[in-house]
Amino acid sequence: MSQYLNKIKADFFDQHAEDSWSSIDYSEEEIGKLKKLVDRFGIISGSRILEPGCGTGRLTKFLANIVGKTGYVQAFDISPKMIAAGKRALREYSHVAIICDAIENYSFDRDSFDFIFCHQVFPHFDDKKLALATMIPALKQNGKLIIYHFEGSEWINDVHRKAGTVVMDDMIPDIKTITNLLSSEMMKIDCFEDNKAGYLLCATKV
């Protein structure tokens, strides 16, 4: 992500750091959906998770409670205000690192995470190929990439398209495009679901 575009997007998300969609706790229905994902893909105590686009830390806290102190969550966001909120919410979690930076700018140790959990963030990567090429080497062999949204891609893309803001071009690619992107990073898609109940893609590092 260019420094110029990074600043514009960071400013946009700063302006929304206290909006309900970014700051209030998950609903019971949303928590239920997240718990099903955790069980389905084997996120357990001791798991190490990379979380790009953590926002105010809602998912970060949920995951930190699952993995416990024997696990680790490294979370990123480009919005200083959202990062500040996340750090306040997780100040007592010693097994969590919250970093204000674009994921594409960071250098990770190879084979260091069990999971990459992209929740409500994948459309916002301006260079999705670069984002994946940066993150996936940090996955252990047989580690999993999870891309998840509470809504389907048709709804998400329509909302972004109509936004008239810096996110108006932030789209979830079609499955053919994502398959090609993942194949180039030696990732095999295990499951793909895209409907009104939500968007889910899980791929394993082979």
Side-chain angles (χ1 to χ4, degrees), residues 5 13 34 37 50 62 68-69 73 75 82 94 188 190-191:
L5 186 55
F13 285 108
L34 291 172
L37 284 186
L50 171 60
F62 174 84
K69 291 186 177 181
V73 181
M82 288 192 174
S94 60
K188 177 181 178 296
D190 301 316
C191 69

Side-chain angles (χ1 to χ4, degrees), residues 186-204:
M186 303 303 291
M187 297 290 291
K188 177 181 178 296
I189 294 177
D190 301 316
C191 69
F192 174 70
E193 301 166 12
D194 185 13
N195 49 53
K196 291 182 179 179
Y199 181 97
L200 171 65
L201 184 148
C202 180
T204 297

Side-chain angles (χ1 to χ4, degrees), residues 2 6 41 53 58 62 70 101 108 135 143 169 183 191:
S2 72
N6 182 64
F41 298 118
R58 296 184 300 168
F62 174 84
T70 60
D101 200 355
F108 295 97
M135 293 188 293
D169 295 320
S183 295
C191 69

